[in-house]
Amino acid sequence: SILLPVQILGTTLPLSPVTLCVFLVTAAFSIYVFQRTSKALAYHILLEGTDEETRKKMLKFKEEIGDNERKFSKYAELYSSCPSGKRQGGALGWVPQGSMVYAFDKVLFDKNMEERKVLGPIQTEFGWHLIWIRERNICTW
């Protein structure tokens, strides 16, 4: 068999062409898999507190905002307890699946939840959230 001298991390190793091909295909596939992660372009409003009064306040906000994205951003700037709300209209940016607390993540990546609508209120250990999903890329495999 033919062995090719391949340098890996400063060490030269003799590898067969088949082994080298398997390594390259595995590396390419791994990169492909990591790029295929589900993600959502999301915004949120957070009110700290887990009581019923806070939840009712969020329901009132939801009703007042309707399906108006600009109003959602304005409410985030005015009322959100989260620093992202104060600075960027509640923008969280592109959120990869699995990076948020479970209840929040579940809403972001539930295919039955509509985009460009106010979702919630959702309760987490941080308080009550309203969520706006501008866009979602869901990996289906």
Side-chain angles (χ1 to χ4, degrees):
S1 87
I2 300 172
L3 296 178
L4 304 172
V6 177
Q7 191 159 359
I8 300 174
L9 300 173
T11 303
T12 301
L13 299 173
L15 296 178
S16 73
V18 172
T19 303
L20 189 57
C21 286
V22 168
F23 173 77
L24 292 174
V25 168
T26 303
F29 182 72
S30 296
I31 291 168
Y32 174 75
V33 166
F34 287 122
Q35 290 177 341
R36 299 276 307 164
T37 302
S38 295
K39 53 191 171 243
L41 183 55
Y43 298 74
H44 82 128
I45 299 169
L46 168 66
L47 291 183
E48 293 175 347
T50 56
D51 56 90
E52 186 62 19
E53 186 178 318
T54 305
R55 187 184 78 79
K56 285 181 180 176
K57 191 173 191 178
M58 289 300 249
L59 287 170
K60 183 175 180 263
F61 286 174
K62 181 177 181 175
E63 185 180 324
E64 292 170 357
I65 293 166
D67 293 330
N68 187 319
E69 186 173 0
R70 286 188 181 173
K71 264 190 181 177
F72 189 95
S73 291
K74 190 65 177 170
Y75 272 61
E77 290 171 2
L78 292 172
Y79 302 111
S80 186
S81 304
C82 183
S84 71
K86 298 292 181 196
R87 290 190 311 270
Q88 304 163 348
L92 296 171
W94 283 99
V95 178
Q97 188 170 14
S99 65
M100 304 299 274
V101 294
Y102 179 76
F104 197 100
D105 203 67
K106 187 176 175 187
V107 171
L108 279 183
F109 297 100
D110 182 341
K111 295 175 192 169
N112 297 318
M113 296 291 184
E114 291 184 63
E115 294 177 16
R116 299 182 183 271
K117 302 252 185 229
V118 180
L119 305 173
I122 310 300
Q123 186 178 16
T124 71
E125 58 263 34
F126 300 105
W128 288 97
H129 304 260
L130 291 178
I131 301 171
W132 182 278
I133 303 168
R134 181 183 286 174
E135 187 178 341
R136 217 178 354 212
N137 295 327
I138 299 206
C139 182
T140 57
W141 61 297

